């Protein structure tokens, strides 16, 4: 059974840091493309960061470049995202996703038909 479980969200002040984790069961993430997405109230879901470990490729939304870092631990079958210098605009529900099929277009990792986790809330206050 495929399962993705996020943790690490919370409430922080602007400038603070959080580290999100996504524990995966049911498949080895080393063979999948993985990503973090977020959705704020009234906004569309956006891909924040992607990783295609088979090609050694990571990608980030312009809004988080230099602040967020995506990584994965294949031995623990866990995806991470370190978020530094958080801003109120980063407030959203963050979800991890995994797909066997992905593309890299203009340096951006795109997951095709991914499996999703339930999400973890991140709230950044000013």
């Amino acid at each position: 059974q495929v399962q993705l479980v996020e943790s690490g969200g919370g409430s922080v002040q602007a400038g603070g840091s959080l580290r999100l984790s996504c524990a995966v069961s049911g498949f080895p993430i080393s063979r999948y493309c993985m990503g973090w997405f977020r959705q704020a109230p009234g906004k569309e879901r956006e891909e924040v960061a992607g990783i295609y470990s088979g090609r050694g490729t990571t990608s980030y939304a312009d809004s988080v470049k230099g602040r967020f870092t995506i990584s994965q631990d294949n031995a623990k079958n866990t995806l991470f995202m370190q978020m530094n210098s958080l801003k109120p605009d980063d407030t959203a529900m963050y979800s991890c996703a995994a797909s066997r099929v992905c593309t890299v277009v203009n340096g951006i990792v795109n997951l095709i038909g991914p499996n999703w986790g339930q999400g973890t809330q991140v709230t950044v206050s000013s």
Side-chain angles (χ1 to χ4, degrees):
Q1 181 179 358
V2 173
Q3 192 171 19
L4 296 83
V5 179
E6 300 93 336
S7 61
S11 297
V12 296
Q13 290 190 328
S17 298
L18 287 171
R19 188 190 193 206
L20 303 184
S21 298
C22 174
V24 178
S25 59
F27 62 89
I29 64 172
S30 60
R31 299 183 181 181
Y32 279 66
C33 296
M34 305 292 296
W36 286 100
F37 292 74
R38 69 184 180 187
Q39 187 167 21
K43 295 186 178 181
E44 293 186 356
R45 184 169 59 198
E46 65 170 336
E47 181 175 339
V48 177
I51 183 166
Y52 184 176
S53 60
R55 291 180 55 174
T57 299
T58 58
S59 63
Y60 299 91
D62 288 342
S63 59
V64 306
K65 280 182 181 177
R67 300 188 298 122
F68 291 11
T69 303
I70 189 171
S71 62
Q72 63 186 68
D73 185 328
N74 293 337
K76 296 181 179 179
N77 222 39
T78 301
L79 179 73
F80 301 99
M81 185 160 69
Q82 178 67 40
M83 306 188 297
N84 298 327
S85 302
L86 283 161
K87 305 175 180 180
D89 284 348
D90 295 319
T91 295
M93 180 69 75
Y94 285 71
S95 300
C96 66
S99 177
R100 282 295 303 269
V101 181
C102 62
T103 62
V104 180
V105 179
N106 295 326
I108 303 298
V109 177
N110 300 291
L111 278 63
I112 310 301
N115 294 297
W116 296 95
Q118 292 298 309
T120 184
Q121 178 67 36
V122 172
T123 302
V124 185
S125 58
S126 58

